[in-house]
Amino acid sequence: MTDFIQSCARELDIATQTGEAVDQLSARQPFDLAQAYRIQQAGIGLRQQRGERALGLKLGFTSRAKRVQMGVDALIWGELTDAMQLADGGELTLGRLIHPRVEPEIAFITAQEISRPLSLAEAGLALAGVAPALEIIDSRYRDFRFSLEDVVADNCSSSHFVVGPLSPPDAPLDNLGVTLRFDGRPVQLGSSAAILGQPLRALMEVSALLHAAGRTLPAGSLLLAGAATAAEPLRAGLHIGVEIAGLGRCEFVTSGSAA
Ligand code: 0L1
Ligand code: MG
């Protein structure tokens, strides 16, 4: 199995670097969720060998709509590294991306190590700050076809992200208006309530899952709490911005075209 884990991780890593999609891995040989996280970890190991630094986690399937669509009842997580971060206002070259999409998110910075399941109130007290964010997701699977295990192995479709200005950790988060704009035109409208009714629930849920998996998250980690609207496909030459009422905005531009 170790060979299988490593070869899947290498295949996904090459697809990420070249922009050439791969077929669904689980169609070749089924694997379970624990093995999917081992493939994800092996892929992050390859990034770290190239000098990338772990920054935190992104959470997926934090909206009820996506859970119903995928037939799952728990969130999933992927790893974020410094190489995935774009400066606020920066440029994303689409050249090596396969089918990139963008979704508005809320980012958390943790104030303390997360090493046990947190209650909702404890989750609020575990933060150093919150910020508006944009996540660029890009599945490495051909035709966007994957199972739950495939997407976890593929680091939950992580590609890039932008984090806006930090607000104090006690900023209210439960029902903030979210507007995603392309070239100033609204393309998605939503509410932070789409993230599990209250984005802090995402931290509460992941704290329990991490504990069950025997993992801790260091203080100062970045967490992307999950999408507040559906994701929008990206194309070259766009100015993309998100505005979250009470938290502010962040943005980036695209150049080149997807693979
Ligand atoms: O960020 C996420 O919500 C995870 C997305 C995984 C599935 C997808 O690529 O749509
Ligand atoms: Mg996301």
Side-chain angles (χ1 to χ4, degrees), residues 58-59 103 105 135 137 226-227:
K58 63 153 285 180
L59 310 181
E103 53 193 27
E105 303 230 358
E135 186 187 17
I137 52 177

Side-chain angles (χ1 to χ4, degrees), residues 107-142:
F108 297 139
I109 305 289
T110 59
Q112 62 191 55
E113 182 183 78
I114 309 294
S115 56
R116 62 176 177 82
L118 301 176
S119 67
L120 191 58
E122 288 171 332
L125 295 173
L127 298 182
V130 300
L134 287 161
E135 186 187 17
I136 296 100
I137 52 177
D138 187 27
S139 173
R140 268 56 69 171
Y141 295 113
R142 204 177 316 284

